[in-house]
Amino acid sequence: MDLTSYVQQVSREDFGKEFRHQAAWNKRLKTTGGRFFPKDRHLDFNPKIYEHFGLETFRKIVRHELCHYHLYDEQKGYRHRDKDFKDLLKQVDGLRYAPSHTPVRKSLIYQCKKCKTNYYRQRRIDTKKYRCGKCRGILERIKEK
């Protein structure tokens, strides 16, 4: 699929306006679906979003970036916090945030033997070294989420 022509098609169909710059894949993007560059007005997109979630979700991300693009052209509020951006994004049914495609990290649960307070951690802790912050009781690992 030619990305620039696809973005031009989405722009015409969903916004009724022309996209006159370049769109490119950027494999280095990790947590975002795409980026808009006001300086030269090109768009970058994350190919992993397209691969993991399909064309329907990717089209919503293209709409998001095109909201930035068209609002910048019209000299309106094109940033995420601006009302113009939020209104246009809702109008064209674009995604506000990119869906997460990273695996969820396991969560460890420790519990104080004395006061039964739970502590949730991403990394294992040394129960011989650390104690409960409330009562100084001994911690024990009860389960992984």
Side-chain angles (χ1 to χ4, degrees):
M1 151 168 93
D2 180 35
L3 185 59
T4 301
S5 63
Y6 178 71
V7 173
Q8 289 169 343
Q9 174 192 344
V10 172
S11 182
R12 277 191 304 274
E13 291 173 3
D14 298 343
F15 293 85
K17 299 172 184 174
E18 288 296 318
F19 174 71
R20 296 178 304 278
H21 293 84
Q22 293 297 309
W25 296 111
N26 186 343
K27 293 179 183 178
R28 293 176 313 226
L29 295 178
K30 300 286 183 204
T31 57
T32 114
R35 287 192 302 186
F36 166 63
F37 294 86
K39 191 172 185 178
D40 64 355
R41 297 187 185 159
H42 82 276
L43 303 176
D44 275 359
F45 292 100
N46 186 343
K48 293 178 192 132
I49 297 288
Y50 177 65
E51 293 163 7
H52 283 92
F53 298 102
L55 190 60
E56 186 177 330
T57 302
F58 181 68
R59 185 177 182 113
K60 290 182 178 188
I61 290 171
V62 170
R63 289 178 191 148
H64 176 106
E65 298 309 322
L66 284 171
C67 284
H68 291 298
Y69 177 83
H70 290 304
L71 288 171
Y72 184 81
D73 269 357
E74 296 166 8
Q75 296 177 347
K76 293 183 180 176
Y78 68 96
R79 295 186 179 132
H80 290 123
R81 65 178 181 245
D82 296 327
K83 186 178 183 331
D84 293 330
F85 178 80
K86 290 177 185 176
D87 291 344
L88 183 59
L89 190 65
K90 191 179 287 185
Q91 186 181 333
V92 296
D93 188 31
L95 280 180
R96 181 92 164 101
Y97 303 103
S100 176
H101 61 277
T102 57
V104 177
R105 294 175 64 185
K106 68 179 179 181
S107 180
L108 302 170
I109 303 173
Y110 293 87
Q111 188 176 60
C112 174
K113 288 183 178 181
K114 195 173 181 182
C115 68
K116 304 296 183 200
T117 302
N118 288 336
Y119 294 93
Y120 300 91
R121 296 290 179 266
Q122 297 292 327
R123 295 182 180 175
R124 286 171 35 174
I125 61 172
D126 184 0
T127 55
K128 294 179 185 102
K129 183 177 177 183
Y130 294 98
R131 295 287 187 108
C132 174
K134 291 185 179 179
C135 70
R136 309 298 298 152
I138 296 171
L139 298 177
E140 71 175 336
R141 190 163 110 197
I142 56 173
K143 64 179 177 179
E144 292 182 14
K145 251 186 173 177

